[in-house]
Amino acid sequence: GAGVSQTPSNKVTEKGKYVELRCDPISGHTALYWYRQSLGQGPEFLIYFQGTGAADDSGLPNDRFFAVRPEGSVSTLKIQRTERGDSAVYLCASSLPGTGVAFFGQGTRLTVV
Amino acid sequence: DAKTTQPPSMDCAEGRAANLPCNHSTISGNEYVYWYRQIHSQGPQYIIHGLKNNETNEMASLIITEDRKSSTLILPHATLRDTAVYYCIVRVARISDMRFGAGTRLTVKP
């Protein structure tokens, strides 16, 4: 595709359930980022991949959050035992290394009820 | 550890220049200044970036002070569609843990 694609666009889940959010980056972009954004706040950094490896996962709030990028392209953000406080828009971005210019997807709106 | 300081909100009249300031007094020599904006319900959009020289593209101009401790994003002829939250970020381009602050909410008024 031409841009960063995130699926699903909306996800409603019950407290305690497991969810997976998917990000398809722009083809050829080796850098991939995950953020979450609460209403009225700026995007909060979660994790950054360079290729298949997580170069910086210092933003993951706790061990319920995990992200993978096994083949250096598609990435999945996984949240276990979801809590109502996890409700937010989860944003994914990708970029070519060294440029610093990131392209964002439209986000997945996660609602935990 | 906020690296940048921006006013929380600004207004601008349609057709006039919008000048958005950003303070980054602790910027390092190898850190670039990036600007992104986020229109309601969309993902952030890249606008422009620079190291120490002023930069201009089809969207905006970036003016960086000589000491690099502050910068200004200029939208030369603001339109209603420029209403958005504007984020100023400093980072080393090669190392890409890009972190956002609260940004400036720009409202362009008719």
Side-chain angles (χ1 to χ4, degrees):
Chain A
V4 177
S5 176
Q6 292 188 246
T7 53
S9 55
N10 282 283
K11 176 72 176 178
V12 180
T13 191
E14 293 181 347
K15 178 175 178 295
K17 297 290 188 182
Y18 167 83
V19 295
E20 290 189 351
L21 311 179
R22 176 186 168 105
C23 173
D24 279 273
I26 293 172
S27 178
H29 282 195
T30 57
L32 185 145
Y33 318 75
W34 282 100
Y35 296 84
R36 73 175 175 181
Q37 188 171 27
S38 300
L39 194 62
Q41 306 293 317
E44 175 192 4
F45 171 80
L46 296 178
I47 187 169
Y48 154 60
F49 287 90
Q50 183 58 257
T52 60
D56 183 350
D57 65 357
S58 62
L60 294 177
N62 53 58
D63 61 6
R64 295 187 298 106
F65 289 74
F66 190 71
V68 295
R69 196 185 185 200
E71 297 178 358
S73 179
V74 171
S75 177
T76 304
L77 179 65
K78 308 181 180 193
I79 310 175
Q80 299 177 321
R81 304 183 303 281
T82 52
E83 301 177 355
R84 293 196 178 88
D86 299 334
S87 296
V89 175
Y90 288 80
L91 294 163
C92 176
S94 70
S95 74
L96 290 170
T99 66
V101 178
F103 296 85
F104 282 79
Q106 293 293 82
T108 294
R109 180 176 299 278
L110 175 67
T111 304
V112 182
V113 297
Chain B
D1 56 343
K3 288 190 170 183
T4 64
T5 304
Q6 299 178 253
S9 64
M10 292 181 63
D11 291 342
C12 177
E14 188 179 19
R16 304 297 293 268
N19 297 286
L20 293 96
C22 180
N23 287 320
H24 30 80
S25 58
T26 61
I27 192 169
S28 301
N30 61 348
E31 287 184 314
Y32 288 72
V33 180
Y34 287 81
W35 284 83
Y36 284 77
R37 74 179 182 183
Q38 189 172 25
I39 296 170
H40 183 62
S41 298
Q42 297 183 20
Q45 175 192 24
Y46 166 79
I47 301 173
I48 198 168
H49 75 284
L51 183 62
K52 52 184 176 181
N53 296 322
N54 297 338
E55 302 288 344
T56 296
N57 63 20
E58 65 278 5
M59 291 182 69
S61 294
L62 174 60
I63 308 297
I64 302 173
T65 58
E66 192 168 343
D67 64 7
R68 303 211 318 124
K69 292 185 177 182
S70 66
S71 60
T72 301
L73 178 75
I74 301 173
L75 308 178
H77 306 286
T79 71
L80 299 179
R81 288 176 296 179
D82 291 322
T83 292
V85 178
Y86 287 77
Y87 297 99
C88 169
I89 301 165
V90 297
R91 59 191 288 249
V92 178
R94 194 174 297 277
I95 303 170
S96 300
D97 64 333
M98 184 169 61
R99 300 184 189 237
F100 290 76
T104 295
R105 180 173 298 279
L106 175 70
T107 302
V108 181
K109 299 186 174 182

